[in-house]
């Protein structure tokens, strides 16, 4: 995240207030910087915080070919912002409430190495 993402004017004041809340809660500077980058990237594709719908957020996520961990980070960022936005009374609903959760990819099985299958008395603990 070497480059600072430009925040759309419609979002700037609310995002700055949210980031101050994160700082006050003791989040690290790196975490705050990461959340700022992610929210700035997302809100460039959305209308103002008051006009954004869950459907629009879902469309933005569907339009990107992100790996699951990246997708999860962006989803957690926008959900955290809107949870704060709702809890502070800035908006009467939380549009991220019905945004699909990120599906965790299934782990690939790791077969027992051949050296353990060749009749050795050692157990396979992988």
């Amino acid at each position: 995240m070497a480059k600072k993402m430009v925040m759309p004017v419609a979002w700037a004041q609310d995002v700055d207030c949210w980031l101050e809340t994160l700082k006050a809660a003791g989040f690290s500077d790196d975490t705050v910087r990461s959340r700022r980058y992610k929210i700035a990237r997302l809100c460039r594709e959305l209308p103002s915080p008051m006009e954004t719908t869950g459907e629009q957020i879902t469309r933005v996520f569907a339009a990107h070919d992100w790996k699951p961990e990246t997708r999860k980070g962006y989803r957690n960022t926008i959900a955290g912002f809107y949870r704060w936005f709702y809890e502070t009374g800035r908006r009467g609903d939380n549009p991220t409430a019905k945004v699909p959760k990120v599906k965790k990819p299934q782990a690939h099985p790791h077969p027992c190495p051949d050296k353990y299958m060749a009749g050795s008395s050692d157990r396979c603990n992988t």
Side-chain angles (χ1 to χ4, degrees):
M1 282 179 263
K3 190 169 124 177
K4 190 171 183 177
M5 185 67 67
V6 176
M7 185 71 59
V9 175
W11 289 77
Q13 185 175 359
D14 292 318
V15 169
D16 286 345
C17 289
W18 174 60
L19 294 174
E20 283 180 12
T21 303
L22 297 180
K23 288 178 190 176
F27 284 80
S28 73
D29 289 342
D30 287 340
T31 298
V32 173
R33 195 172 17 262
S34 173
R35 302 262 171 101
R36 186 198 184 287
Y37 177 88
K38 289 174 183 168
I39 194 79
R41 183 167 179 197
L42 289 171
C43 65
R44 288 174 48 164
E45 300 180 52
L46 296 166
S48 74
M50 290 300 293
E51 297 170 341
T52 296
T53 66
E55 188 175 310
Q56 290 167 321
I57 295 168
T58 300
R59 277 194 213 122
V60 168
F61 278 81
H64 291 280
D65 187 26
W66 290 324
K67 292 184 178 183
E69 285 303 315
T70 301
R71 187 175 301 280
K72 185 176 178 181
Y74 277 93
R75 190 198 183 284
N76 288 344
T77 296
I78 194 86
F81 172 78
Y82 271 110
R83 187 172 37 255
W84 169 83
F85 207 62
Y86 170 74
E87 289 173 356
T88 57
R90 288 171 168 79
R91 184 169 164 155
D93 67 331
N94 179 348
T96 63
K98 294 190 178 180
V99 172
K101 299 229 184 304
V102 177
K103 182 180 176 191
K104 184 177 178 180
Q106 292 206 340
H108 297 292
H110 298 283
C112 189
D114 289 340
K115 68 181 181 179
Y116 295 111
M117 299 300 289
S120 171
S121 63
D122 294 340
R123 298 186 68 113
C124 180
N125 292 322
T126 57

